[in-house]
Structure formats: structure tokens, C-alpha cells
Amino acid sequence: MKILVLNPNTSEIVTQKVADVIHQIARPDTEVVVKSIEHGPESLESFYDEALAVPYEIDAVKKASEEGFAAIIIAAFCDPGIEALKEISSIPVFGLEECSFSVSLLFGNKFGILTEKKHKESVKSREVRKHGLEKRFAGVCALDMGVVEIANQREKVFERGKEAAKKLIENGAEVIILGCSSMAGYSQMLSKEIGIPVIDPTIATFKLVEGLIETGLSQSKIGLYSTPKPQKFN
Amino acid sequence: MKILVLNPNTSEIVTQKVADVIHQIARPDTEVVVKSIEHGPESLESFYDEALAVPYEIDAVKKASEEGFAAIIIAAFCDPGIEALKEISSIPVFGLEECSFSVSLLFGNKFGILTEKKHKESVKSREVRKHGLEKRFAGVCALDMGVVEIANQREKVFERGKEAAKKLIENGAEVIILGCSSMAGYSQMLSKEIGIPVIDPTIATFKLVEGLIETGLSQSKIGLYSTPKPQKFN
């Protein structure tokens, strides 16, 4: 089984970090290709950035369907363009956010999300609403740090992550989701400190997908993700 | 990694059927033990039956935690006693129903459930409500057949399953969940016929768990599944 892990930004450093994690956790008999989209923003931090990345994700997903991949993972927590990708793909496409939500439901009554900047709290709340999971949602709390800062300042992330997680716990969170790929590598440390499961979306999604692809299940094509009719493109 | 698949009824035929499926789909390097509870009803078809089975599930789960298992799957769609088992267990416990719900969310807007008897429709609806997933639920439809009948009368199950699935699709279902272990073996045939993903809970849960146990995630112990305080038992 061959899995494509697609980084929907063009940062080589991020692609390499994702590849390092994936190659560490993949089973020896799982073939994985980790790559980034060919063109697009170096980091996705707004709807605007995402909108510019999606056409290149579509290109990569179309190719992957023809290249013998069994599944595609979009390796950014914001699930950029996930609906369009599920529509157009003949193989299953998975987003880190949707998979993290699904996994978190198994481990506690409510999940909480850590995010980078304050304004992202609105984005994440709306994502939860989009998925209809409000009843399982304890809230979202920002570290008030940028993506690059999060990737580099371990101590500050740990301190702020701890404080934010505690707020979420007070609000009913029993599971914490690291809501930004830049937080990779913090889950075990944070989980140990706050005493509850902390989901690293890349790891949880990859292991989930590695298992699920053997079921042959894929996105349903009769509703939300119906295959688009070909359109004239002028 | 060693997984215990616990049949929470005492039917040897059912245990054997589950074992056959699991041994077919397990990865070669996954160690699996499939067994039933030591005493209890031969089939779980009511809250009453479930109540009598749960103490024996608790016994099995307590033992498994000490016997080096990495995870436990309760192999009945009704998730009998799942909360008590997650409370008492030091290793992750997974139910077929909760896992099927989580998986279904990734493949379509709404899921529908096939169940055996009419009165079970109320039970399943309430389960969905318990999990807070009403917004992703298209409904439940009974085949109006008993558990034994379902296991033996393939053609009738196929015909009724098809009709029931069509009703659910009309009501918005994009994914169908086979809501009774006795329906094992019908998923591929039914999926081909109705053209949407059909989840076999045993298969989906097993593959999900086989992947997830490598993440080290387990049920949170600060809320819903807090470890019970020891009680005097007179």
C-alpha cells in the first residue's frame, strides 16, 4: 500500500520535518511518498494563503490517483481544500483536522484545540461547527505565537501550551489536539505534563490511514463529495 | 503489539466467526487473541442481556490489562459496558459502534445505520445522541429480522439491507454502518449494490485500532472515564 503525504505549502524545511516524522512511524511494509505542492505559499496562515495553494493540491491529487497511491493525506491541520480534493479524487483523501477530531472522540467526552494566533480561534471554532461536532468541543486556545516561532522556541511553546491546555481542561477538555503542524514534537512532553492524551495530528492521521486503507473504504460519492461534472474553463 | 478482541457474549459460533474475520485481516506482525467472556448471555439483544454481560467483560478487561495487551476491542456493535471498561482499564478500550461512527465521519456528510429489529431503532438513535453526533446522522433502519436469521439467511438480508439502505440514502445517508455483528460479511456486496461505502464495524475498528495503538493514545482519565475509586462491595 502506497500513501502520499502531501504538504500543501512549499516550505522545504516543513516538508523535510514531516518526512522525518512519517518515516519514523511508518510500518516497514508501508510505502510512503512525502512531497510538497509544486507551487504556492511557503506557509498557510490565512484563507487567502489556502486559496492560492488549493489549485496545486488539486494537481497533485489528480496525479496521485493515477500513480498507484492507495490514499492521500493532506499534511496541514487546516485541511485546505479538503472538500475539493475528496470530490476530485478516486482514492481516499484524509485531512489532519478531520482525522484528529474523529480520533479524539474515542478518548474522552470533549476535545480542545491549541492554535497559534488569537484570530485562529474563530477559524477553528467554525471548523468544529462545520463538522457538526460542537457537542464534543471544549474550546480552542491560542499560544499567541507565529508558526515559525512555534517551530523554534521549544520552551516558550511548552510554557504557553501548558497554560492554554489547562484553560481548555477547565472548560471540559479531556483530550488536547495540537492544532498546527508547527507544534509537531510537543505531544508527548505536553501529555506527560498535563496528564491527558495530546493528539499530534500528523502521527494520529498517518496511523489511522495506514490502518484504514486496508478496509477499502473511501469517501462517498453521492453527496458532499460527488465527483464534479467537467466544466468549460475559459 | 497484542490486541484482545473480546466477544461480550458466550456464543462459540459467534466467537469463531469473529476470529475468522480478524485472523484474515490482521497484519502478520499483529498478535491477536479473540475470546469470549467466561459467563453470560449467548446473545446480547437487550439492555437486560448487556447488564448481565458487563461484569464478565470487566473481569476480562482487568485481566487483559495485566497480560501485556496493548488494546482491547469489544466485539459487539452495542458497545456494552464500554464506559465502565474504559474507566477500569489501564490500556485503551475501543467499541465497534464508537469507532464506526468516527470512521464514517471521514467519508461523508451523514451516516445511516442498519439494525436488526424495529425496537432497536430507538436504541441506535439514542446512542448517536449520547455521542453528540446527531448532526451527522441520517437515521437508522431495521431489517426486521432476528440476529440468528440475519446470520443465516443471506438473500433475505441482502434484499432487506438494500431496501433499508435506500431509505437511509433518501434521508441523506452517504455512508452505511452495519449496526449488528450478525451482518458481518455483507459490507462489500451491499456497497457494490448501493454504490456507497458500507462500514463493517469489526473490520473498520480492528484496522483503526491496529493503527492507533502505535500512537500510544488511550482514554483520558480526567473526566468521563476517570478511574473509579475502590468501593466496599458487600
Side-chain angles (χ1 to χ4, degrees), chain A residues 27 29 86 102 106-107 131 133-136 173-174 196-197 207-208 211 214 218-220 222-224, chain B residues 27 29 86 102 106-107 131 133-136 173-174 196-197 207-208 211 214 218-220 222-224:
Chain A
R27 285 172 175 264
D29 58 345
K86 290 196 186 210
S102 273
L106 305 171
F107 298 126
H131 286 286
L133 297 175
E134 300 94 316
K135 291 191 178 168
R136 306 296 295 272
E174 298 178 15
I196 65 171
K207 298 315 288 186
L208 173 85
E214 294 186 14
S218 188
Q219 55 270 5
S220 182
I222 61 161
L224 191 58
Chain B
R27 284 171 176 264
D29 58 344
K86 290 197 186 210
S102 273
L106 304 172
F107 298 125
H131 286 287
L133 298 175
E134 300 94 317
K135 291 192 179 168
R136 305 298 295 272
E174 298 179 16
I196 65 170
K207 296 315 287 185
L208 173 85
E214 294 185 14
S218 187
Q219 56 269 5
S220 182
I222 62 162
L224 191 60

Side-chain angles (χ1 to χ4, degrees), chain B residues 140-151:
Chain B
V140 50
C141 194
L143 305 191
D144 202 20
M145 295 172 74
V147 171
V148 178
E149 217 185 345
I150 290 174

Side-chain angles (χ1 to χ4, degrees), chain B residues 132-171:
Chain B
L133 298 175
E134 300 94 317
K135 291 192 179 168
R136 305 298 295 272
F137 182 50
V140 50
C141 194
L143 305 191
D144 202 20
M145 295 172 74
V147 171
V148 178
E149 217 185 345
I150 290 174
N152 297 320
Q153 298 198 30
R154 287 189 74 79
E155 266 187 46
K156 193 168 165 189
V157 174
F158 185 57
E159 282 312 311
R160 295 212 175 167
K162 216 167 57 181
E163 289 317 306
K166 280 180 185 164
K167 274 188 209 163
L168 293 171
I169 289 171
E170 270 168 36
N171 208 25

Side-chain angles (χ1 to χ4, degrees), chain A residues 1-5 18 21-34 71-73 94-96 99-100 103 200-213, chain B residues 27 207-208 211-212 214-215:
Chain A
M1 293 286 191
K2 202 163 78 165
I3 300 174
L4 172 64
V5 178
V18 172
V21 170
I22 296 295
H23 292 306
Q24 258 179 44
I25 61 171
R27 285 172 175 264
D29 58 345
T30 304
E31 202 182 329
V32 200
V33 174
V34 182
I72 301 166
I73 295 170
F94 299 90
L96 302 194
C99 289
S100 300
V103 167
D200 180 309
T202 308
I203 297 173
T205 302
F206 186 79
K207 298 315 288 186
L208 173 85
V209 171
E210 216 180 19
L212 280 188
I213 48 172
Chain B
R27 284 171 176 264
K207 296 315 287 185
L208 173 85
L212 280 187
E214 294 185 14
T215 65

